[in-house]
Amino acid sequence: MIRKFAFRRRSSRRSGFGFLLLVLLLATVPAVLAQERSAQNDPVSSSVHTAPVVIDGNRLFVLRGLTSFPASERAKAVRQRIVDIARDESFSTDALEVREENDRTAVYAGETLILYAFDVDAEIEGIDRQLLGEVFKAKTKSAVEQYRQDRSSVVLLTNTAYALVLTAVMALVFWGVMRLFRWLDGWAVRHVQKNVEDLASKSHHLIKAGQVWSLFASLLRTIRFLAIAILAYFYLNTLLGLYPWTRPAALVLFDLVLDPIESLWFGFLSSLPNLAFLVILFLVVRYLLRLTRTFFKGVQRGRIKLNNFDPDWASPTYKILRLLIIAFSVVIAYPYIPGSDSMAFKGVSLFLGVIFSLGSSSFIANMMAGMAMTYRGAFKEGDLVRVGEVVGKVTEIKLMITRVNTAKNESVVIPNSNILNTNVVNYSTLAKDQGLVIHTTVGIGYDAPWRQVEAMLKIAAERTPGLEKEPAPFVLQQSMGDYAVNYEINAFCKTTSGLLGIRSDLHRNIQDVFNEHGVQIMSPAYENDPETPKVVPPDQWYAAPASKPESG
């Protein structure tokens, strides 16, 4: 597949080079016309209604327009007169003279008027009108001589010889470049492709050989295109500059590359003070952020004590303060960013601001909720909590969401705005110090003595692993129903891990104790007394498929 690609590429080189030359030539056509009408793009000329006189791409001087004689038509007429006398081989440039006529200075070629210099023309150049007339004469003489020299047989033949030599040299260089890249193609197939395949095999195909090779091949194509474009540019620029008829195109082709580079360079130089300020601001903000982070790390680790400030607040407070410092530094830096005063930059900033404001309502709500939760102190990572219907351990607290892992090994992501508007039960806050109270409710008939029931419930609690002996378990009679009394057994537990298992063991022990003493559990209710008590005798506790544990 790689070799086929290389073959297709070689077969299209000649047509690609020709297409590139055609594009560069076509790109100069509008620009050549623009050379003759450059007054429209000249800031000075446009501001005072002037137009330049241009011959063979060379700008001679600028003329101001009149109400009845626009600047462009005046410049066109003067240019045509200069060309006419240049074509007249019998005319000598020594016959050019300057004459004063009332309120104007005239330049004549013998008895033929070339142009007038008015006071308004002299205002543009900032010199006297008489001196401007001499400048016009000198410029006209130089243009006529250059026009004749460029079109002389000797110069044209010499330039044609240069063009043929240049074309031959260019063809040879182009052939050498193509040979070089052909060799690079073969070398890449033999070495780079093999190494890429070996690397992909060693990485167990985590690295895709096809993608890496495609990237390398694209790099080679880009380098080849740039090399051809640079050669074609210099060839066209030099070739077009040899003849007066195509010299304007050469000048424009040169400006197409030089003007952007010049603009970038002078823009860079003018932005150096602002860039220096931005670098200093960056260093100051970076140092301030490091200092702030060091301070709050000390608070978090207890090395720095702050009154009424929980060490758990140190990390989120640092994040908020960091955001404020960065936002404030951006506000300061904005006027110094190169191009920040341009309408395009302002338009993009406004567009991004509108997009952010339209799509950030829930984002802002969750972010503010996350900040409020930090200082609310409802829970922290590792706590066992209940948020709505979700019960589990908090594994991650972020500015936008909180992640909770349930006992069923489910990871639940809860938006902070929901948590802020919901009651949160934290089972871990008081569990280690005062203990968490585990409780459950059973319904026992009125014929069972309440003292016996409470004693049996306490025995079941004492048998349950994980429940504390001190403080002792206690029983509450919650209600006296129509058919049974509802008893609630409460026992202390100082761990939040395995609560479901502890509660399940408590239920098992309650059933065993009540069966041992022949007291039936009546909850939820019953309609009449059964003929025999609804208890399980001990000899049936391990009926199949249950198995009796071996005694130690």
Side-chain angles (χ1 to χ4, degrees):
M1 180 180 66
I2 304 297
R3 298 184 183 276
K4 291 182 179 179
F5 167 76
F7 173 77
R8 290 197 301 268
R9 183 172 56 197
R10 289 195 296 268
S11 65
S12 63
R13 285 170 184 159
R14 185 174 301 173
S15 60
F17 178 64
F19 177 75
L20 180 61
L21 292 177
L22 179 61
V23 170
L24 291 175
L25 284 172
L26 292 178
T28 62
V29 173
V32 172
L33 298 178
Q35 282 281 356
E36 304 296 336
R37 302 189 300 269
S38 61
Q40 299 177 358
N41 298 326
D42 191 320
V44 177
S45 300
S46 299
S47 62
V48 294
H49 305 288
T50 63
V53 177
V54 180
I55 297 179
D56 292 343
N58 298 320
R59 181 169 172 165
L60 304 182
F61 39 76
V62 176
L63 299 177
R64 184 164 182 170
L66 304 175
T67 304
S68 59
F69 198 18
S72 58
E73 294 184 9
R74 184 185 176 196
K76 182 178 180 181
V78 171
R79 177 188 181 279
Q80 188 59 45
R81 293 173 193 150
I82 296 175
V83 170
D84 289 341
I85 65 172
R87 291 173 177 173
D88 186 3
E89 297 292 340
S90 63
F91 176 79
S92 174
T93 55
D94 295 334
L96 291 171
E97 60 178 336
V98 179
R99 303 175 186 175
E100 292 295 327
E101 299 179 1
N102 297 327
D103 60 344
R104 65 194 70 182
T105 300
V107 178
Y108 280 88
E111 297 302 323
T112 303
L113 174 67
I114 300 299
L115 78 157
Y116 287 119
F118 298 96
D119 290 333
V120 291
D121 295 319
E123 291 177 0
I124 299 175
E125 304 294 341
I127 59 176
D128 293 335
R129 190 187 70 208
Q130 292 77 10
L131 181 58
L132 181 63
E134 295 293 337
V135 172
F136 283 173
K137 173 187 171 182
K139 290 282 188 180
T140 302
K141 180 179 179 180
S142 176
V144 171
E145 293 175 349
Q146 186 67 41
Y147 186 92
R148 291 174 177 176
Q149 180 182 356
D150 290 341
R151 287 163 175 78
S152 65
S153 300
V154 175
V155 172
L156 290 178
L157 289 175
T158 302
N159 289 344
T160 301
Y162 287 157
L164 293 176
V165 172
L166 176 65
T167 303
V169 172
M170 185 64 189
L172 182 63
V173 172
F174 179 76
W175 177 82
V177 170
M178 292 297 100
R179 291 281 298 179
L180 174 63
F181 279 99
R182 185 180 304 172
W183 178 84
L184 286 176
D185 290 341
W187 176 84
V189 171
R190 292 190 303 271
H191 297 86
V192 177
Q193 184 182 14
K194 182 178 182 302
N195 292 335
V196 168
E197 291 176 352
D198 293 342
L199 181 62
S201 177
K202 292 178 181 178
S203 65
H204 303 286
H205 298 285
L206 293 177
I207 299 176
K208 301 298 182 181
Q211 295 177 355
V212 176
W213 171 253
S214 177
L215 181 63
F216 186 82
S218 299
L219 180 61
L220 283 180
R221 290 197 303 270
T222 302
I223 296 175
R224 187 185 73 253
F225 174 80
L226 290 177
I228 295 175
I230 292 173
L231 290 175
Y233 170 78
F234 283 106
Y235 172 73
L236 285 177
N237 188 64
T238 305
L239 184 65
L240 295 176
L242 293 176
Y243 299 97
W245 305 280
T246 58
R247 189 170 298 132
L251 295 175
V252 171
L253 190 61
F254 181 75
D255 291 339
L256 287 176
V257 176
L258 183 62
D259 286 349
I261 296 176
E262 183 180 7
S263 177
L264 290 174
W265 173 248
F266 285 109
F268 172 74
L269 292 180
S270 62
S271 300
L272 279 179
N274 291 342
L275 293 175
F277 176 83
L278 292 175
V279 170
I280 295 174
L281 179 63
F282 170 78
L283 295 176
V284 171
V285 171
R286 183 180 179 185
Y287 176 78
L288 184 60
L289 289 175
R290 285 186 176 181
L291 185 63
T292 306
R293 181 177 60 182
T294 302
F295 173 79
F296 281 103
K297 277 189 175 181
V299 174
Q300 185 177 13
R301 295 173 181 176
R303 294 197 298 263
I304 300 176
K305 302 292 184 181
L306 297 178
N307 293 333
N308 301 321
F309 190 90
D310 194 327
D312 292 335
W313 298 348
S315 179
T317 303
Y318 163 71
K319 293 179 181 178
I320 296 172
L321 190 59
R322 180 182 61 182
L323 179 63
L324 294 177
I325 292 174
I326 294 176
F328 184 69
S329 63
V330 169
V331 172
I332 295 177
Y334 181 85
Y336 296 91
I337 299 175
S340 60
D341 55 345
S342 65
M343 295 304 297
F345 193 96
K346 294 177 181 178
V348 172
S349 301
L350 180 62
F351 174 75
L352 294 178
V354 171
I355 295 298
F356 180 78
S357 62
L358 292 177
S360 63
S361 56
S362 60
F363 174 84
I364 297 297
N366 285 314
M367 185 175 66
M368 296 304 295
M371 293 180 182
M373 283 171 47
T374 298
Y375 300 99
R376 181 181 174 187
F379 51 79
K380 58 185 178 181
E381 291 185 5
D383 287 353
L384 182 67
V385 298
R386 184 179 69 207
V387 181
E389 300 297 327
V390 179
V391 178
K393 180 181 291 186
V394 178
T395 58
E396 189 176 20
I397 301 176
K398 291 189 175 181
L399 199 60
M400 302 290 296
I401 58 96
T402 297
R403 194 180 304 275
V404 176
N405 285 355
T406 67
K408 303 297 184 182
N409 203 26
E410 301 166 335
S411 180
V412 182
V413 177
I414 307 175
N416 288 336
S417 58
N418 293 354
I419 299 177
L420 194 63
N421 298 320
T422 305
N423 293 330
V424 177
V425 178
N426 192 329
Y427 297 104
S428 301
T429 302
L430 303 177
K432 293 182 179 180
D433 298 330
Q434 302 178 17
L436 181 67
V437 177
I438 304 296
H439 60 278
T440 189
T441 303
V442 294
I444 307 300
Y446 285 95
D447 56 341
W450 64 267
R451 295 176 180 83
Q452 180 190 24
V453 174
E454 292 185 4
M456 288 188 296
L457 290 174
K458 291 178 182 179
I459 294 173
E462 292 174 355
R463 291 182 181 179
T464 303
L467 296 181
E468 299 293 324
K469 302 298 187 292
E470 293 292 337
F474 61 94
V475 179
L476 300 176
Q477 295 190 24
Q478 286 189 326
S479 64
M480 302 179 68
D482 294 337
Y483 306 104
V485 179
N486 293 319
Y487 297 87
E488 183 185 76
I489 175 64
N490 297 268
F492 289 88
C493 177
K494 291 192 175 182
T495 179
T496 57
S497 60
L499 286 183
L500 293 179
I502 295 174
R503 190 186 298 273
S504 178
D505 289 340
L506 177 61
H507 290 163
R508 294 188 185 101
N509 291 327
I510 289 175
Q511 295 180 65
D512 287 345
V513 172
F514 275 68
N515 284 330
E516 290 172 1
H517 294 83
V519 178
Q520 58 183 345
I521 300 175
M522 306 302 295
S523 57
Y526 72 97
E527 295 182 359
N528 52 22
D529 291 326
E531 296 181 358
T532 59
K534 297 299 183 181
V535 297
V536 180
D539 58 350
Q540 297 182 12
W541 285 4
Y542 301 101
S547 59
K548 185 176 182 179
E550 297 180 359
S551 58

